Amino acid sequence: MAKNRKIEVKGREISLYSEKSDDYISLTDMARYRDSERTNYIIQNWMRTRSAIEFCGLWEQFGQ
């Protein structure tokens, strides 16, 4: 079962999830800092950036 924790960053709560040896952080919670009504738009735009694409490529390489 996943363990849920929260941290506070700049007055906002960010959810952290841990399951076995894997840790996850909520992108939605982070996007709420910028625009609480349109978090999906914030994440979509971030996923199109060069740095996000490079990060995902490196992440895939580490997973193999």
Coordinates of all heavy atoms in Angstrom, one line a residue:
M1 N 0.8 -1.2 0.0 CA 0.0 0.0 0.0 C 0.9 1.2 0.0 O 1.9 1.3 0.7 CB -0.9 0.0 1.2 CG -1.8 1.2 1.3 SD -3.1 0.9 2.5 CE -4.2 2.2 2.1
A2 N 0.5 2.3 -0.7 CA 1.3 3.5 -0.9 C 1.2 4.3 0.4 O 0.1 4.4 1.1 CB 0.7 4.3 -2.0
K3 N 2.3 4.9 0.7 CA 2.3 5.9 1.9 C 2.2 7.3 1.3 O 2.8 7.6 0.3 CB 3.6 5.8 2.6 CG 3.9 4.4 3.2 CD 5.3 4.4 3.9 CE 5.6 3.0 4.3 NZ 7.0 3.0 4.8
N4 N 1.3 8.1 1.9 CA 1.1 9.4 1.5 C 1.7 10.4 2.5 O 1.4 10.3 3.7 CB -0.4 9.7 1.2 CG -1.0 8.8 0.2 OD1 -0.3 8.3 -0.7 ND2 -2.3 8.6 0.3
R5 N 2.4 11.4 2.0 CA 2.9 12.5 2.8 C 2.7 13.8 2.1 O 2.4 13.8 0.9 CB 4.4 12.3 3.1 CG 4.8 11.1 3.9 CD 6.3 11.0 4.2 NE 7.0 11.1 2.9 CZ 8.2 11.7 2.8 NH1 8.8 12.2 3.9 NH2 8.9 11.7 1.7
K6 N 2.8 14.8 2.8 CA 2.7 16.2 2.2 C 3.9 17.0 2.7 O 4.3 16.9 3.9 CB 1.4 16.8 2.6 CG 0.2 16.1 2.0 CD -1.1 16.9 2.2 CE -2.3 16.2 1.6 NZ -2.5 16.4 0.2
I7 N 4.4 17.8 1.9 CA 5.4 18.8 2.2 C 4.8 20.2 1.9 O 3.9 20.3 1.1 CB 6.7 18.6 1.5 CG1 6.5 18.7 0.0 CG2 7.3 17.3 2.0 CD1 7.9 18.7 -0.8
E8 N 5.3 21.2 2.5 CA 4.8 22.6 2.3 C 6.0 23.3 1.5 O 7.1 23.4 2.0 CB 4.5 23.3 3.5 CG 3.8 24.6 3.2 CD 3.2 25.3 4.5 OE1 2.7 24.6 5.3 OE2 3.4 26.5 4.6
V9 N 5.6 23.9 0.4 CA 6.6 24.7 -0.4 C 5.9 26.0 -0.7 O 4.9 26.0 -1.4 CB 6.9 23.9 -1.7 CG1 7.9 24.8 -2.5 CG2 7.5 22.6 -1.4
K10 N 6.5 27.1 -0.3 CA 6.0 28.4 -0.5 C 4.5 28.5 -0.1 O 3.7 29.1 -0.9 CB 6.2 28.9 -2.0 CG 7.6 29.0 -2.3 CD 7.8 29.6 -3.7 CE 9.2 29.9 -4.0 NZ 9.4 30.6 -5.3
G11 N 4.2 27.9 1.0 CA 2.8 28.0 1.5 C 1.8 27.1 0.8 O 0.6 27.1 1.1
R12 N 2.2 26.2 -0.1 CA 1.4 25.3 -0.7 C 1.7 23.8 -0.3 O 2.9 23.5 -0.2 CB 1.5 25.4 -2.3 CG 1.3 26.7 -2.8 CD -0.2 26.8 -3.1 NE -0.4 28.1 -3.7 CZ -1.5 28.4 -4.4 NH1 -2.4 27.5 -4.5 NH2 -1.7 29.6 -4.9
E13 N 0.7 23.0 -0.2 CA 0.9 21.6 0.1 C 1.2 20.8 -1.1 O 0.4 21.0 -2.1 CB -0.3 21.0 0.9 CG -0.3 21.4 2.3 CD -1.3 20.5 3.1 OE1 -2.2 19.9 2.5 OE2 -1.2 20.5 4.3
I14 N 2.2 20.0 -1.2 CA 2.6 19.2 -2.3 C 2.5 17.7 -1.8 O 3.2 17.4 -0.8 CB 4.0 19.5 -2.8 CG1 4.1 21.0 -3.2 CG2 4.3 18.6 -4.0 CD1 3.3 21.5 -4.3
S15 N 1.8 16.9 -2.5 CA 1.7 15.5 -2.1 C 2.8 14.6 -2.6 O 3.3 14.8 -3.7 CB 0.4 14.9 -2.7 OG -0.7 15.6 -2.2
L16 N 3.3 13.8 -1.7 CA 4.4 12.8 -2.0 C 3.8 11.4 -1.8 O 3.1 11.2 -0.8 CB 5.6 13.0 -1.1 CG 6.2 14.4 -1.1 CD1 7.3 14.5 0.0 CD2 6.8 14.6 -2.5
Y17 N 4.1 10.5 -2.7 CA 3.6 9.2 -2.6 C 4.8 8.2 -2.6 O 5.7 8.4 -3.4 CB 2.6 8.8 -3.7 CG 1.5 9.7 -3.8 CD1 1.5 10.8 -4.7 CD2 0.4 9.6 -3.0 CE1 0.4 11.7 -4.8 CE2 -0.7 10.4 -3.1 CZ -0.7 11.5 -4.0 OH -1.7 12.3 -4.1
S18 N 4.8 7.3 -1.7 CA 5.9 6.3 -1.7 C 5.2 4.9 -1.8 O 4.3 4.6 -1.1 CB 6.7 6.4 -0.5 OG 7.4 7.6 -0.4
E19 N 5.8 4.1 -2.7 CA 5.3 2.7 -2.8 C 6.5 1.8 -3.0 O 7.2 2.0 -4.0 CB 4.3 2.5 -3.9 CG 3.7 1.2 -4.0 CD 2.5 1.1 -4.9 OE1 1.9 2.1 -5.2 OE2 2.3 0.0 -5.4
K20 N 6.8 0.9 -2.1 CA 8.0 0.1 -2.0 C 9.2 1.0 -2.1 O 9.4 1.8 -1.2 CB 7.9 -0.9 -3.2 CG 6.8 -1.9 -3.0 CD 6.8 -2.9 -4.1 CE 5.6 -3.8 -4.0 NZ 5.5 -4.8 -5.0
S21 N 10.0 0.9 -3.1 CA 11.2 1.8 -3.2 C 11.0 2.9 -4.2 O 12.0 3.6 -4.5 CB 12.4 0.9 -3.6 OG 12.2 0.4 -4.9
D22 N 9.8 3.2 -4.6 CA 9.5 4.2 -5.6 C 8.9 5.4 -4.9 O 8.0 5.3 -4.0 CB 8.6 3.8 -6.7 CG 9.2 2.6 -7.5 OD1 10.4 2.7 -7.8 OD2 8.4 1.7 -7.9
D23 N 9.3 6.6 -5.3 CA 8.7 7.9 -4.7 C 8.1 8.7 -5.9 O 8.7 8.7 -7.0 CB 9.8 8.7 -4.0 CG 10.4 8.0 -2.8 OD1 9.6 7.4 -2.1 OD2 11.6 8.0 -2.6
Y24 N 7.0 9.3 -5.6 CA 6.3 10.1 -6.6 C 6.0 11.5 -6.0 O 5.6 11.6 -4.8 CB 5.0 9.5 -7.1 CG 5.3 8.1 -7.6 CD1 5.2 7.0 -6.8 CD2 5.6 7.9 -9.0 CE1 5.4 5.7 -7.3 CE2 5.8 6.6 -9.5 CZ 5.7 5.5 -8.6 OH 5.9 4.3 -9.1
I25 N 6.0 12.5 -6.8 CA 5.6 13.9 -6.4 C 4.4 14.3 -7.3 O 4.5 14.0 -8.5 CB 6.7 14.8 -6.4 CG1 6.3 16.2 -5.7 CG2 7.3 15.0 -7.7 CD1 7.5 17.0 -5.3
S26 N 3.5 15.0 -6.8 CA 2.3 15.4 -7.5 C 2.6 16.6 -8.4 O 2.7 17.7 -7.9 CB 1.1 15.7 -6.6 OG 0.0 16.2 -7.3
L27 N 2.6 16.4 -9.7 CA 2.8 17.6 -10.6 C 1.5 18.5 -10.6 O 1.6 19.7 -10.7 CB 3.0 17.1 -12.1 CG 4.3 16.4 -12.4 CD1 4.3 15.9 -13.8 CD2 5.4 17.3 -12.1
T28 N 0.4 17.9 -10.4 CA -0.9 18.7 -10.3 C -0.8 19.6 -9.1 O -1.1 20.8 -9.3 CB -2.1 17.8 -10.1 OG1 -2.1 16.8 -11.2 CG2 -3.4 18.6 -10.1
D29 N -0.3 19.2 -8.0 CA -0.2 20.1 -6.8 C 0.8 21.2 -7.1 O 0.6 22.4 -6.7 CB 0.3 19.3 -5.6 CG -0.8 18.4 -5.0 OD1 -2.0 18.5 -5.4 OD2 -0.5 17.6 -4.1
M30 N 1.9 20.9 -7.8 CA 2.9 21.9 -8.1 C 2.3 22.9 -9.2 O 2.5 24.1 -9.1 CB 4.1 21.3 -8.7 CG 4.9 20.6 -7.6 SD 6.6 20.1 -8.1 CE 6.4 19.2 -9.6
A31 N 1.5 22.4 -10.1 CA 0.9 23.3 -11.1 C -0.2 24.2 -10.5 O -0.4 25.3 -11.0 CB 0.3 22.5 -12.2
R32 N -0.8 23.8 -9.4 CA -1.8 24.7 -8.7 C -1.2 26.0 -8.3 O -1.9 27.0 -8.1 CB -2.4 23.9 -7.6 CG -3.4 23.0 -8.0 CD -4.2 22.4 -6.8 NE -5.1 21.4 -7.2 CZ -5.0 20.1 -6.9 NH1 -4.1 19.8 -6.0 NH2 -5.8 19.2 -7.4
Y33 N 0.1 26.0 -8.0 CA 0.8 27.2 -7.6 C 0.7 28.3 -8.7 O 0.5 29.5 -8.4 CB 2.3 26.9 -7.3 CG 3.1 28.1 -7.0 CD1 3.0 28.8 -5.7 CD2 4.0 28.7 -7.9 CE1 3.7 29.9 -5.4 CE2 4.7 29.8 -7.6 CZ 4.6 30.4 -6.4 OH 5.3 31.5 -6.1
R34 N 0.8 27.9 -9.9 CA 0.7 28.8 -11.1 C -0.7 29.2 -11.4 O -1.0 30.4 -11.7 CB 1.4 28.2 -12.2 CG 1.5 29.0 -13.4 CD 2.5 30.1 -13.2 NE 3.7 29.8 -13.9 CZ 4.6 30.6 -14.2 NH1 4.5 31.8 -13.8 NH2 5.7 30.2 -14.9
D35 N -1.6 28.2 -11.5 CA -3.0 28.5 -11.9 C -3.9 27.4 -11.4 O -3.9 26.2 -11.9 CB -3.1 28.5 -13.5 CG -4.5 28.9 -14.0 OD1 -5.4 28.8 -13.2 OD2 -4.5 29.3 -15.2
S36 N -4.6 27.6 -10.3 CA -5.3 26.6 -9.6 C -6.6 26.1 -10.4 O -7.1 25.0 -10.2 CB -5.8 27.1 -8.3 OG -6.7 28.2 -8.4
E37 N -7.0 26.9 -11.4 CA -8.1 26.5 -12.2 C -7.8 25.6 -13.4 O -8.6 24.9 -13.9 CB -8.9 27.7 -12.7 CG -9.5 28.6 -11.6 CD -10.5 27.8 -10.8 OE1 -11.4 27.1 -11.4 OE2 -10.5 27.9 -9.5
R38 N -6.6 25.8 -14.0 CA -6.2 25.1 -15.2 C -4.9 24.4 -15.1 O -3.9 24.7 -15.8 CB -6.1 26.1 -16.4 CG -7.5 26.8 -16.6 CD -7.5 27.8 -17.7 NE -6.2 28.2 -18.3 CZ -6.1 28.7 -19.5 NH1 -7.1 28.8 -20.2 NH2 -4.9 29.1 -19.9
T39 N -4.8 23.5 -14.1 CA -3.5 22.8 -13.9 C -3.2 21.9 -15.1 O -2.0 21.8 -15.4 CB -3.6 21.9 -12.6 OG1 -4.8 21.0 -12.8 CG2 -3.8 22.7 -11.4
N40 N -4.1 21.4 -15.8 CA -3.8 20.6 -17.0 C -3.1 21.4 -18.0 O -2.2 20.9 -18.7 CB -5.1 20.0 -17.6 CG -6.1 21.0 -18.0 OD1 -6.2 22.1 -17.5 ND2 -6.9 20.7 -19.0
Y41 N -3.5 22.7 -18.2 CA -2.8 23.5 -19.2 C -1.4 23.8 -18.8 O -0.5 23.7 -19.7 CB -3.6 24.9 -19.2 CG -3.0 25.9 -20.2 CD1 -3.2 25.7 -21.6 CD2 -2.4 27.0 -19.7 CE1 -2.6 26.6 -22.4 CE2 -1.9 27.9 -20.6 CZ -2.0 27.8 -21.9 OH -1.5 28.7 -22.8
I42 N -1.1 24.0 -17.5 CA 0.3 24.2 -17.0 C 1.1 23.0 -17.3 O 2.2 23.1 -17.8 CB 0.3 24.5 -15.5 CG1 -0.6 25.8 -15.2 CG2 1.7 24.7 -15.0 CD1 -0.1 27.0 -15.9
I43 N 0.6 21.8 -17.0 CA 1.4 20.5 -17.2 C 1.6 20.3 -18.7 O 2.7 19.9 -19.1 CB 0.7 19.4 -16.5 CG1 0.7 19.6 -15.0 CG2 1.3 18.0 -16.9 CD1 -0.1 18.6 -14.2
Q44 N 0.6 20.5 -19.5 CA 0.7 20.3 -21.0 C 1.8 21.2 -21.5 O 2.7 20.7 -22.3 CB -0.6 20.6 -21.7 CG -1.7 19.6 -21.5 CD -3.0 20.1 -22.1 OE1 -3.1 21.1 -22.7 NE2 -4.0 19.4 -21.8
N45 N 1.8 22.5 -21.1 CA 2.9 23.4 -21.6 C 4.3 23.0 -21.1 O 5.2 23.1 -21.9 CB 2.6 24.8 -21.2 CG 1.5 25.4 -22.0 OD1 1.2 25.0 -23.2 ND2 0.8 26.4 -21.5
W46 N 4.3 22.5 -19.9 CA 5.6 22.1 -19.4 C 6.2 20.9 -20.1 O 7.3 20.8 -20.5 CB 5.5 21.8 -17.9 CG 6.8 21.2 -17.3 CD1 8.0 21.9 -17.1 CD2 7.1 19.9 -17.0 NE1 8.9 21.1 -16.6 CE2 8.4 19.8 -16.5 CE3 6.3 18.7 -17.0 CZ2 9.0 18.6 -16.1 CZ3 6.9 17.5 -16.6 CH2 8.2 17.5 -16.2
M47 N 5.3 19.9 -20.5 CA 5.7 18.7 -21.2 C 6.2 19.0 -22.6 O 6.9 18.2 -23.2 CB 4.5 17.7 -21.2 CG 4.2 17.1 -19.9 SD 5.5 16.1 -19.2 CE 5.6 14.8 -20.3
R48 N 5.9 20.2 -23.1 CA 6.3 20.5 -24.5 C 7.7 21.2 -24.4 O 8.3 21.4 -25.5 CB 5.3 21.5 -25.1 CG 4.0 20.8 -25.5 CD 3.2 21.8 -26.3 NE 1.8 21.3 -26.3 CZ 0.8 22.0 -25.9 NH1 0.9 23.3 -25.5 NH2 -0.4 21.5 -25.9
T49 N 8.2 21.6 -23.3 CA 9.5 22.3 -23.2 C 10.6 21.3 -23.6 O 10.5 20.1 -23.3 CB 9.7 22.9 -21.9 OG1 9.8 21.9 -20.9 CG2 8.6 23.9 -21.5
R50 N 11.7 21.9 -24.1 CA 12.8 21.1 -24.4 C 13.4 20.4 -23.2 O 13.8 19.2 -23.2 CB 13.9 22.0 -25.0 CG 15.1 21.2 -25.4 CD 16.1 22.2 -26.1 NE 17.3 21.4 -26.4 CZ 18.2 21.8 -27.3 NH1 18.1 23.0 -27.8 NH2 19.2 21.0 -27.5
S51 N 13.5 21.1 -22.1 CA 14.1 20.5 -20.9 C 13.2 19.3 -20.4 O 13.8 18.3 -19.9 CB 14.2 21.5 -19.8 OG 13.0 22.1 -19.4
A52 N 11.9 19.4 -20.5 CA 11.0 18.3 -20.0 C 11.2 17.1 -21.0 O 11.3 15.9 -20.5 CB 9.6 18.7 -20.0
I53 N 11.3 17.3 -22.3 CA 11.5 16.2 -23.2 C 12.9 15.6 -23.0 O 13.0 14.3 -23.0 CB 11.4 16.7 -24.7 CG1 9.9 17.2 -24.9 CG2 11.8 15.7 -25.7 CD1 9.7 18.0 -26.2
E54 N 13.9 16.3 -22.8 CA 15.2 15.8 -22.5 C 15.2 15.0 -21.2 O 15.8 13.9 -21.1 CB 16.3 16.9 -22.4 CG 16.6 17.5 -23.7 CD 17.5 18.7 -23.6 OE1 17.8 19.2 -22.5 OE2 17.9 19.2 -24.7
F55 N 14.5 15.5 -20.2 CA 14.4 14.8 -18.9 C 13.7 13.5 -19.0 O 14.2 12.5 -18.5 CB 13.6 15.7 -17.9 CG 13.3 15.0 -16.6 CD1 14.3 14.9 -15.6 CD2 12.0 14.5 -16.3 CE1 14.0 14.2 -14.4 CE2 11.8 13.8 -15.1 CZ 12.8 13.7 -14.2
C56 N 12.6 13.4 -19.8 CA 11.9 12.2 -20.0 C 12.7 11.2 -20.8 O 12.7 10.0 -20.5 CB 10.6 12.4 -20.8 SG 9.3 13.3 -19.8
G57 N 13.5 11.7 -21.8 CA 14.4 10.8 -22.5 C 15.5 10.2 -21.6 O 15.8 9.0 -21.6
L58 N 16.1 11.0 -20.7 CA 17.0 10.5 -19.7 C 16.4 9.5 -18.8 O 17.0 8.5 -18.4 CB 17.7 11.6 -19.0 CG 18.7 12.4 -19.7 CD1 19.1 13.7 -18.9 CD2 19.9 11.6 -20.1
W59 N 15.2 9.8 -18.3 CA 14.5 8.9 -17.4 C 14.2 7.6 -18.0 O 14.4 6.6 -17.4 CB 13.1 9.6 -17.1 CG 12.4 9.0 -15.9 CD1 11.4 8.1 -16.0 CD2 12.8 9.1 -14.5 NE1 11.0 7.7 -14.7 CE2 11.9 8.3 -13.8 CE3 13.7 9.9 -13.8 CZ2 11.9 8.2 -12.4 CZ3 13.7 9.8 -12.4 CH2 12.8 9.0 -11.8
E60 N 13.9 7.5 -19.3 CA 13.7 6.3 -20.0 C 15.0 5.5 -20.1 O 15.0 4.2 -19.9 CB 13.1 6.5 -21.4 CG 11.7 6.9 -21.4 CD 11.1 7.1 -22.8 OE1 11.9 6.9 -23.8 OE2 10.0 7.6 -22.9
Q61 N 16.1 6.1 -20.3 CA 17.4 5.4 -20.4 C 17.7 4.8 -19.0 O 18.3 3.7 -19.0 CB 18.5 6.4 -20.8 CG 18.4 6.8 -22.2 CD 19.5 7.8 -22.6 OE1 20.3 8.2 -21.8 NE2 19.4 8.2 -23.9
F62 N 17.5 5.5 -17.9 CA 17.8 5.0 -16.6 C 16.9 3.8 -16.2 O 17.3 2.9 -15.5 CB 17.6 6.0 -15.5 CG 18.7 7.1 -15.5 CD1 18.3 8.4 -15.5 CD2 20.0 6.8 -15.6 CE1 19.3 9.4 -15.6 CE2 21.0 7.7 -15.6 CZ 20.7 9.1 -15.6
G63 N 15.7 3.7 -16.8 CA 14.8 2.7 -16.5 C 15.1 1.3 -17.2 O 14.5 0.3 -16.9
Q64 N 16.0 1.3 -18.1 CA 16.3 0.1 -18.8 C 17.4 -0.7 -18.2 O 18.2 -0.4 -17.4 CB 16.8 0.4 -20.3 CG 15.6 1.1 -21.0 CD 16.1 1.5 -22.4 OE1 17.2 1.3 -22.8 NE2 15.1 2.0 -23.2

